[in-house]
Amino acid sequence: MKKIIVPVDFSKHSEYALETAAALAKQHNSELIVMHMLEMSESIFSASSAERGEENAFMLMVANKKFEAFLDQPYLEGLEVTPMVKYHKVLKEVAEVAADVRADLIVMGSRGHSDHDGVFTGSNTEKVVRYSNTPVLVIKSKPKSVNFEHIVLATDFSEESVPAVKKAHELLIELGQKTTLLHINSPNLTFLSTDEIDEKIATFLKLAKLNESDVTIARISDHNVEDGVSNFARKQQADAIAMITHGRKGLSHFFGGSISEDVVNHSKLPVITFKL
């Protein structure tokens, strides 16, 4: 893991994300790219070039001062930290920057849907998750540790999901000690018998070139995917949840964007998302 991007709005949730990313960077000898997006008013774009240049310069100066204070943290000592300022509050720009610099992970804080101030409310976090081809780790609270002993990865074991699950599994092995691939049988989806689920898993493992001894697999039934993964993670005392999403391309599918985004918003645990 060579590069980690941390979008920040200088809130306490951004601090949680920065501290988490710093701990991961120390573990993996990674560079941290700390990114802030200026919220430019419409008046700036209608002003003259001189006026626009003056306001841009002023806002950039303010952002740089905030960066100096925000990045003055003991847990950042010894790390390579690159501040980055973007002029527009366009959340998909986080995904674009991550792709441009070939980042391995985006770490961002989120308030879920409980608050509405600042940049990283739940709806904005959803946008980053939806647009990003780079894995996104969403943090809701101050990290106790980044040594994730157990991560639960929800999957439907479809043939289409093989590349994404393999990619996710490789990163999760780096982040945690144990990963459980979880199948959730739900009446909201195509309900399968035990034999049908077992056959689907066997086909998946063959295509993924995995043996059942190489991974931990769990099968449960619940009212819906969100409840299933959350309840299983709680009962197993998991440290994080992982989800694979299509973004907005397949809302009727198990990996429909709405399901992953609901888990991101409502789970109290860290959530890692991977795009299919």
Side-chain angles (χ1 to χ4, degrees), residues 140-152:
K140 298 288 188 65
S141 58
K142 185 177 177 63
K144 296 178 181 178
S145 170
V146 293
N147 295 316
F148 302 120
E149 293 184 5
H150 186 193
I151 301 173
V152 176

Side-chain angles (χ1 to χ4, degrees), residues 57-186:
F58 175 76
M59 294 185 72
L60 184 59
M61 179 187 69
V62 171
N64 285 332
K65 285 188 175 182
K66 286 185 177 181
F67 258 128
E68 289 179 15
F70 190 77
L71 298 179
D72 186 18
Q73 305 289 351
Y75 54 75
L76 293 177
E77 291 182 7
L79 291 174
E80 181 182 356
V81 180
T82 304
M84 178 182 293
V85 177
K86 292 290 183 179
Y87 285 107
H88 309 291
K89 195 184 81 172
V90 181
L91 274 296
K92 68 178 181 180
E93 197 168 10
V94 176
E96 291 171 356
V97 171
D100 288 343
V101 303
R102 297 184 179 181
D104 301 288
L105 184 67
I106 297 169
V107 181
M108 63 185 299
S110 175
R111 302 172 178 82
H113 279 307
S114 60
D115 296 308
H116 301 283
D117 58 324
V119 177
F120 298 119
T121 57
S123 59
N124 283 329
T125 305
E126 289 175 11
K127 292 175 185 176
V128 177
V129 167
R130 194 178 308 154
Y131 288 118
S132 178
N133 290 314
T134 304
V136 181
L137 170 59
V138 180
I139 303 296
K140 298 288 188 65
S141 58
K142 185 177 177 63
K144 296 178 181 178
S145 170
V146 293
N147 295 316
F148 302 120
E149 293 184 5
H150 186 193
I151 301 173
V152 176
L153 172 58
T155 175
D156 66 351
F157 290 99
S158 64
E159 293 183 21
E160 183 184 10
S161 71
V162 168
V165 172
K166 289 190 71 174
K167 176 183 175 182
H169 191 248
E170 289 172 3
L171 178 61
L172 296 179
I173 288 174
E174 288 189 59
L175 295 176
Q177 298 178 24
K178 173 185 175 182
T179 299
T180 296
L181 304 186
L182 175 65
H183 183 280
I184 301 155
N185 210 14
S186 169

Side-chain angles (χ1 to χ4, degrees), residues 7 13 37 43 56 69 78 105 127 176 267 273-274:
H13 291 83
M37 285 163 288
S43 62
N56 286 351
L105 184 67
K127 292 175 185 176
S267 174
T273 65
F274 301 84

Side-chain angles (χ1 to χ4, degrees), residues 150-154 229-230 233 238-243 263 267 269-273:
H150 186 193
I151 301 173
V152 176
L153 172 58
V229 67
S230 298
D239 301 291
I241 291 170
M243 298 291 294
V263 173
S267 174
L269 292 174
V271 179
I272 311 165
T273 65

